[in-house]
Amino acid sequence: MKKLLAGTMGTVLALGGLGVATATPAAAATPDVQAGCSSLYVTLDGYPEGTSFVATVDGETVEDVLFDGYHTFWYDVDGSVAHAWSVVVDAPGDVDDFSDGGTTVPCGDPPSDWFYADAYCGNLNVSLGGFPAGSTVTVAVDAEALTEGVVDEYGSYWFGTRLDEWSGQTWQVVVDAEDDAFDRSESGVSSCGSGGEIVVPETPPALTDCAATPEDTRLPSDSAAVSYSRGDNGIVATAASGYEFPGGAGTTGEWRALGDGRLLLEWSSVVRPRCELEVVSVTPVCAAGAPFVDIVVNPPAGVDESSFLISWEGPNSGYDVVYGDAGFGHPWVTREPWPGFVTHGDGSVSPAYDETWRLDDIDLVLGASEWVDGWTYSRSYRAVWEDAPTSDPCADDPGPHFSVDVSQRWLAGKLYLSVRVLNEGDGTADVSVVTPFGRKHFPRVAAGASAYQAFAVRTTEPVEGQVDVSFTADVDGEQVTRERAVPFWLGG
């Protein structure tokens, strides 16, 4: 049974065989251009760093920028006259380059209609709006009339059908209205395929050596059906004449379409270097009555600690994540809270939050990663500290013993910082709590009882800080005081 600690895991990052990464490479680059009668709107998504975008209207440059990933552009034009426009996208490696252009139709000029007709991968769809009622619509495939209909009383018409998926059929849609200004004709060829023999590109095995780079990748051998070349972003597969890839303009496994019949296998799919992470020490400690684990890692050269992940895992590795923190950002030398385990008489171990979950072994798994050459591929680092500390380092601590819970609460629409200090000892205790929003002293808190106070935050902005707790109790006939600082973050 797979178990994840939802309260602390968030998104668990798989290590080792599944890789470690702090981000995901961009998906296929997608351009979207909409030229209306009074505006030009462009959306660009999934483009690599350093992509340039240039837009011109009536010969004048109205946008010239470099961007990374996602970019939108909106430009208003005078809707009473026509305007010539163009957009050019120049991406590193050229495979995602794109250009388009045309002339806007003045908003007030007839015909005032909306016409859409297109055939993609066997699906022919026709949709009209704003045409005179009774206008005749004829749909033909391979020069033979497939259907004939009329625009309804609302000025609309819709028709859809399936074409032969791979034969590349020619289609035509003709609108014949009483007012010739509304006559329209559109035609094209189904873009899914041309009837060629289907061929699947070969995917080379992934390189996992720590020093592996794209230059080490051996391209598949060319055949009569497919040739392979090395591009900036990965391996490019080109189908020979009379052949085509499955899925048309879609994807085939890890290969994605480039829009011109070729497929791209990105370097991140075939270059996955895995390296050993050097762990200096893992030491359980008891600090002021609170259990921790001190971890010291030798940082890999050039790797930012923002990707450093710490996870306690069972014998099924990433399948049994007993305790983890997907927030990353741990320092290479760090003190982490000891998760808390229960050891049973048969030697099995359970996380303290679920004693029914019995594990024969718990390891401490440490990992980090870095993106190499921009977002080209990721190199991951991993180490497994066998037999992670599962014995409470504070088991023999004389005390005093207490726990602190800090959280945010909303009362009557107002934000409060809630602080609860539980006396886990056998006698009474004096408790003092200091926060950025006030302080409170609690004398003679009984054993097993809590000192509780909700402090008014008096701000709606996110705020972070710490709560300082002083706890004084009798230990073996002596008054002993312990102090503990608990960080908090209030996000509204």
Side-chain angles (χ1 to χ4, degrees):
M1 179 173 61
K2 182 175 182 179
K3 295 194 177 184
L4 299 178
L5 178 55
T8 57
M9 283 303 299
T11 302
V12 179
L13 182 68
L15 302 177
L18 297 181
V20 181
T22 59
T24 302
T30 305
D32 181 26
V33 180
Q34 300 180 36
C37 64
S38 62
S39 66
L40 175 63
Y41 178 63
V42 181
T43 301
L44 305 170
D45 192 16
Y47 282 85
E49 181 179 359
T51 300
S52 69
F53 170 72
V54 179
T56 63
V57 175
D58 295 334
E60 179 183 351
T61 299
V62 294
E63 178 87 334
D64 187 352
V65 297
L66 292 175
F67 71 97
D68 174 12
Y70 181 82
H71 181 69
T72 61
F73 167 75
W74 182 289
Y75 187 75
D76 291 324
V77 298
D78 180 0
S80 64
V81 297
H83 300 272
W85 60 271
S86 69
V87 295
V88 177
V89 180
D90 185 7
D94 298 333
V95 295
D96 292 320
D97 287 355
F98 170 79
S99 63
D100 197 4
T103 303
T104 64
V105 176
C107 297
D109 287 2
S112 178
D113 56 46
W114 184 71
F115 184 102
Y116 174 82
D118 191 26
Y120 175 72
C121 215
N123 292 303
L124 173 61
N125 293 305
V126 180
S127 181
L128 285 71
F131 281 81
S135 299
T136 301
V137 183
T138 303
V139 180
V141 175
D142 290 340
E144 293 186 9
L146 184 64
T147 184
E148 186 174 283
V150 294
V151 174
D152 64 21
E153 60 183 308
Y154 303 105
S156 301
Y157 175 84
W158 184 90
F159 173 77
T161 189
R162 285 283 300 172
L163 303 182
D164 187 313
E165 185 172 359
W166 296 108
S167 66
Q169 291 176 290
T170 301
W171 57 267
Q172 184 181 33
V173 179
V174 178
V175 179
D176 184 10
E178 184 175 351
D179 182 351
D180 291 342
F182 287 91
D183 288 352
R184 294 286 294 274
S185 177
E186 294 286 345
S187 61
V189 178
S190 178
S191 61
C192 191
S194 56
E197 181 179 344
I198 303 301
V199 61
V200 177
E202 179 184 347
T203 300
L207 302 179
T208 58
D209 183 79
C210 180
T213 69
E215 287 71 23
D216 300 317
T217 303
R218 180 173 297 178
L219 301 185
S221 299
D222 292 345
S223 66
V226 185
S227 61
Y228 302 89
S229 61
R230 190 183 301 271
D232 291 340
N233 298 323
I235 301 173
V236 178
T238 304
S241 177
Y243 296 88
E244 60 186 52
F245 297 119
T251 60
T252 301
E254 293 183 281
W255 294 83
R256 70 173 176 88
L258 294 177
D260 56 3
R262 299 181 301 162
L263 296 180
L264 173 69
L265 180 66
E266 295 177 338
W267 290 125
S268 58
S269 296
V270 290
V271 182
R272 301 172 180 174
R274 304 290 182 257
C275 308
E276 290 293 327
L277 183 65
E278 182 183 351
V279 182
V280 178
S281 62
V282 175
T283 309
V285 294
C286 182
F292 295 92
V293 178
D294 284 351
I295 301 172
V296 180
V297 170
N298 188 15
V303 179
D304 193 276
E305 63 183 16
S306 62
S307 70
F308 185 27
L309 175 70
I310 300 171
S311 179
W312 278 260
E313 300 181 4
N316 293 321
S317 187
Y319 188 77
D320 282 326
V321 179
V322 180
Y323 174 85
D325 179 4
F328 308 103
H330 301 281
W332 300 115
V333 178
T334 183
R335 170 166 288 181
E336 297 298 317
W338 181 73
F341 298 99
V342 176
T343 302
H344 303 282
D346 60 359
S348 63
V349 180
S350 299
Y353 60 84
D354 185 359
E355 294 189 23
T356 65
W357 188 10
R358 301 291 186 95
L359 297 166
D360 296 331
D361 176 58
I362 294 178
D363 299 322
L364 184 60
V365 180
L366 310 171
S369 68
E370 63 173 336
W371 284 106
V372 184
D373 191 18
W375 297 102
T376 303
Y377 64 97
S378 175
R379 177 178 290 115
S380 66
Y381 298 81
R382 184 177 187 267
V384 177
W385 190 272
E386 299 288 348
D387 300 323
T390 56
S391 298
D392 187 353
C394 291
D396 298 328
D397 179 65
H401 297 290
F402 65 100
S403 61
V404 181
D405 177 71
V406 177
S407 61
Q408 69 176 24
R409 291 190 63 190
W410 289 91
L411 300 173
K414 296 182 179 179
L415 180 62
Y416 288 81
L417 177 67
S418 171
V419 181
R420 185 183 303 275
V421 182
L422 173 63
N423 181 2
E424 298 176 340
D426 298 327
T428 60
D430 289 341
V431 179
S432 292
V433 176
V434 178
T435 79
F437 315 109
R439 61 181 64 203
K440 182 75 174 180
H441 179 69
F442 305 86
R444 300 189 62 77
V445 177
S450 295
Y452 173 81
Q453 181 68 31
F455 298 90
V457 175
R458 299 188 181 91
T459 180
T460 58
E461 298 296 325
V463 60
E464 60 180 327
Q466 72 177 34
V467 175
D468 296 311
V469 177
S470 176
F471 188 96
T472 301
D474 184 89
V475 178
D476 296 332
E478 294 185 6
Q479 289 290 299
V480 178
T481 298
R482 273 186 169 162
E483 297 179 343
R484 190 173 299 170
V486 180
F488 69 83
W489 186 88
L490 303 177

